[in-house]
């Protein structure tokens, strides 16, 4: 039975949480394979809003086992606060599995994230300040703390002391802040051990056994293609592998098991934080998208930068992820526009580029080439079949589908769980 990967096609906040929740009802496992509580997924069920950061969106489906894979970085305080929040609302969280190989966001890495951003000044990345970058850097530097370390006090102490040996020098001498005491860090991490223990598992093995037993596994990305550490707009990216390849390394499921890759594409573009964004709008249209789409971050509350849909980015997402199906979200937000521009290519120094330019400097000064499609006025939020959509909305979807090069299998027409048009089954 298949493993299905779900990724963001743009710069995040495409509506991955809603799509995962929708599929979560019919899959047995939902695995978060990258990132941490930098993610923010809003899911609306029967008018009730749930904001998830660290937990896989499958946690809201009673029959689904949510898994935090080895590729995730975990802030344990946030994990338990999020679980408590859901328990208080009557959600059963008892099935959660956490990889023993996942890394833990130590408190000093939250501090380092913030002071590094301050130090960078106008060259800052605009991170979420959650300690994501420094924790992945520790992982690569082989001085990270893993979930399993919390169950071996002596190893934990040695690792924290080793990490702090250098970090305290940097904190005190470079950033002029207070050094961190190893004892306090160890104490804090150990305080979570008892509650964490029953959740910890060899998740890679459990997932393989589940696949062998004919179960469906959905691998849910945080962030998105252009925020991927390798394939995104580096250095204005997150520090993990948010593309389909990362689903395998971040979960321990081999590529040969993956049968489908679903990418979520917002009907326009948004970005939070710094970095290039060719179709960004600074005018009333941008404000219209922000207001109508309620484009304010789930995690930091920052207003999101908004622009028209960019099919060069969409095509790139298709290529990098091997997308088999797209879900276009938030088509309803475009209702009421006279013309809806679609970026089909870039003009870079007078040369037309239909593919993502390999040089970041070129991408920085790419001018979008637009095709202007006719808009529609009818409220589409109650449409449940493609044929019910106004002709111009249909034409918009079909043109975007042609340009991004993979079929559009579902279309979001509102935030609610039921506000979706399925053209092709996402699970079969
Ligand atoms: P994620 O990080 O990719 O899961 O996306 P976010 O949850 O950060 O942002 C997507 C926002 O759009 C959330 O507030 C969703 O409730 C909302 N949303 C998702 N799909 C649709 C849709 O089709 N129409 C509208 N209007 N809102 C949607
Ligand atoms: P979801 O899963 C949008 C952005 C931050 C910043 C950059 C690096 O909700 O789509 P980090 O804290 O990860 O080191 O910040 O990445 N970023 C996101 N933007 N959606 C997200 O997640 C994001 N996660 C990180 O704004 O520009
Ligand atoms: Mg989000």
């Amino acid at each position: 039975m298949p493993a299905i990967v779900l990724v963001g096609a743009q710069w995040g906040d495409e509506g991955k949480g809603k799509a995962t929740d929708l599929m979560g009802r019919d899959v047995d496992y939902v695995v978060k394979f990258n990132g941490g509580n930098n993610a923010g997924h809003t899911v609306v069920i029967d008018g009730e809003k749930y904001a998830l950061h660290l937990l896989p969106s499958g946690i809201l489906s009673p029959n689904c086992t949510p898994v935090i894979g080895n590729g995730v970085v975990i802030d344990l305080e946030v994990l338990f606060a999020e679980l408590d929040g859901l328990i208080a609302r009557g959600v059963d969280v008892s099935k959660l599995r956490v990889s023993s190989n996942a890394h833990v966001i130590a408190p000093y890495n939250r501090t380092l994230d913030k002071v590094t951003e301050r130090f960078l000044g106008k060259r800052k990345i605009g991170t979420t300040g959650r300690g994501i970058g420094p924790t992945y850097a520790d992982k690569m530097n082989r001085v990270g703390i893993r979930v399993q370390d919390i169950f071996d006090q002596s190893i934990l102490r040695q690792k924290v002391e080793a990490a702090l040996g250098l970090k305290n020098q940097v904190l005190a001498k470079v950033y002029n802040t207070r050094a961190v005491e190893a004892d306090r860090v160890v104490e804090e991490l150990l305080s979570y051990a008892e509650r964490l223990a029953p959740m910890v598992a060899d998740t890679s093995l459990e997932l393989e056994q589940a696949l062998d037993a004919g179960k469906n596994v959905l691998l849910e990305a945080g962030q998105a293609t252009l925020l991927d550490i390798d394939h995104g707009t580096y250095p204005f990216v997150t520090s993990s592998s948010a593309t389909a390849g990362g689903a395998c390394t971040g979960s321990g499921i081999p590529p040969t098991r993956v049968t489908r890759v679903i990418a979520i594409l917002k009907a326009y573009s948004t970005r939070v934080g710094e970095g290039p964004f060719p179709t960004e709008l600074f005018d009333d249209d941008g404000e219209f998208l922000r207001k109508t789409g309620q484009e304010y971050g789930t995690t930091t509350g920052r207003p999101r930068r908004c622009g028209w849909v960019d099919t060069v980015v969409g095509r790139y997402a298709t290529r990098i992820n091997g997308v088999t199906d797209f879900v276009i979200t938030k088509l309803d937000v475009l209702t009421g526009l006279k013309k809806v521009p679609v970026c089909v290519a870039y003009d870079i120094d007078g040369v037309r580029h239909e593919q993502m330019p390999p040089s970041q400097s070129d991408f920085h000064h790419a001018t979008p080439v637009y095709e202007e499609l006719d808009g529609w006025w009818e409220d589409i939020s109650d449409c449940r079949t493609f044929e019910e959509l106004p002709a111009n909305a249909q034409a918009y979807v079909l043109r975007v589908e042609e340009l991004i090069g993979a079929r559009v299998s579902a279309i979001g027409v509102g935030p609610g769980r039921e506000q979706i048009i399925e053209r092709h089954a996402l699970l079969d």
Side-chain angles (χ1 to χ4, degrees):
M1 283 303 274
I4 298 166
V5 176
L6 186 146
V7 295
Q10 296 148 314
W11 283 280
D13 305 322
E14 297 91 348
K16 298 177 291 294
K18 176 186 157 175
T20 303
D21 167 64
L22 182 81
M23 294 174 70
R25 288 177 294 180
D26 301 315
V27 299
D28 303 293
Y29 288 81
V30 171
V31 187
K32 180 176 166 94
F33 64 80
N34 75 303
N37 57 311
N38 47 348
H41 309 303
T42 301
V43 179
V44 183
I45 304 173
D46 298 331
E48 284 239 11
K49 221 179 203 186
Y50 296 85
L52 301 168
H53 296 283
L54 187 49
L55 294 167
S57 306
I59 198 134
L60 300 173
S61 300
N63 297 323
C64 176
T65 302
V67 177
I68 295 183
N70 58 276
V72 174
V73 291
I74 306 175
D75 186 322
L76 292 167
E77 189 183 346
V78 172
L79 174 69
F80 291 119
E82 205 166 305
L83 285 172
D84 287 341
L86 291 178
I87 292 167
R89 294 175 75 177
V91 178
D92 175 13
V93 299
S94 61
K95 290 206 187 90
L96 177 68
R97 315 300 284 145
V98 177
S99 167
S100 57
N101 285 345
H103 281 243
V104 168
I105 301 181
Y108 45 79
N109 280 333
R110 283 195 299 258
T111 310
L112 273 166
D113 192 356
K114 290 182 188 128
V115 292
T116 310
E117 281 282 278
R118 270 210 299 277
F119 191 76
L120 283 170
K122 67 177 186 355
R123 284 200 297 274
K124 69 176 195 256
I125 309 295
T127 73
T128 58
R130 303 297 195 260
I132 306 294
T135 304
Y136 278 112
D138 280 2
K139 175 176 173 174
M140 293 304 173
N141 275 330
R142 293 154 295 183
V143 291
I145 312 291
R146 295 196 290 178
V147 163
Q148 57 187 275
D149 301 331
I150 292 174
F151 304 101
D152 186 331
Q153 269 203 49
S154 131
I155 288 281
L156 179 65
R157 186 168 300 277
Q158 283 177 41
K159 290 197 171 180
V160 170
E161 281 171 358
L164 282 176
L166 176 67
K167 281 172 201 287
N168 272 338
Q169 301 280 332
V170 173
L171 280 170
K173 293 182 183 153
V174 179
Y175 296 117
N176 208 16
T177 52
R178 233 181 309 143
V180 177
E181 282 172 42
D183 281 352
R184 290 189 60 176
V185 174
V186 171
E187 207 177 292
E188 182 186 326
L189 294 177
L190 286 176
S191 72
Y192 301 112
E194 198 181 322
R195 196 170 171 197
L196 185 62
M199 303 170 190
V200 178
D202 180 344
T203 49
S204 161
L205 179 64
E206 276 193 25
L207 291 169
E208 185 191 57
Q209 287 166 345
L211 286 166
D212 284 345
K215 310 272 189 206
N216 286 315
V217 174
L218 180 65
L219 300 149
E220 176 201 18
Q223 295 75 51
T225 305
L226 290 192
L227 290 175
D228 181 276
I229 186 74
D230 285 278
H231 304 290
T233 50
Y234 191 91
F236 302 103
V237 291
T238 191
S239 300
S240 69
S241 298
T243 43
C248 293
T249 50
S251 68
I253 292 181
T256 44
R257 290 282 200 174
V258 176
T259 53
R260 214 154 168 188
V261 179
I262 298 169
I264 317 299
L265 180 92
K266 209 183 298 204
Y268 50 96
S269 306
T270 62
R271 169 158 215 174
V272 198
E274 307 301 314
F277 179 1
T279 63
E280 182 169 15
L281 294 165
F282 300 95
D283 56 9
D284 290 350
D285 285 333
E287 204 46 43
F288 170 85
L289 293 174
R290 186 155 36 248
K291 286 250 162 64
T292 318
Q294 295 183 17
E295 296 295 351
Y296 299 89
T298 313
T299 299
T300 57
R302 288 180 286 182
R304 295 175 182 149
R305 299 157 63 191
C306 297
W308 301 124
V309 79
D310 184 339
T311 62
V312 182
V313 165
R315 267 197 296 283
Y316 181 65
T318 304
R319 172 160 71 83
I320 293 292
N321 297 292
V323 176
T324 56
D325 303 76
F326 273 98
V327 177
I328 293 191
T329 57
K330 301 189 104 164
L331 186 66
D332 52 302
V333 173
L334 299 181
T335 300
L337 291 163
K338 208 165 165 195
K339 291 277 179 192
V340 196
V342 173
C343 169
V344 296
Y346 301 140
D347 179 323
I348 302 170
D349 299 328
V351 179
R352 184 182 167 103
H353 288 249
E354 296 197 345
Q355 300 295 337
M356 193 75 165
S359 146
Q360 181 83 356
S361 312
D362 285 346
F363 188 63
H364 262 272
H365 65 270
T367 307
V369 177
Y370 287 115
E371 207 171 277
E372 296 223 319
L373 304 193
D374 290 327
W376 60 92
W377 294 90
E378 302 88 334
D379 180 358
I380 63 169
S381 56
D382 289 327
C383 295
R384 294 295 175 270
T385 63
F386 189 66
E387 291 67 35
E388 285 175 75
L389 287 173
N392 288 346
Q394 290 188 24
Y396 182 80
V397 171
L398 294 176
R399 181 65 181 132
V400 170
E401 178 177 60
E402 188 179 16
L403 289 161
I404 57 185
R407 70 180 184 179
V408 174
S409 293
I411 300 153
V413 291
R417 204 183 226 186
E418 68 299 337
Q419 288 180 298
I420 192 123
I421 295 171
E422 268 199 71
R423 288 175 80 203
H424 306 284
L426 290 171
L427 282 168
D428 46 27

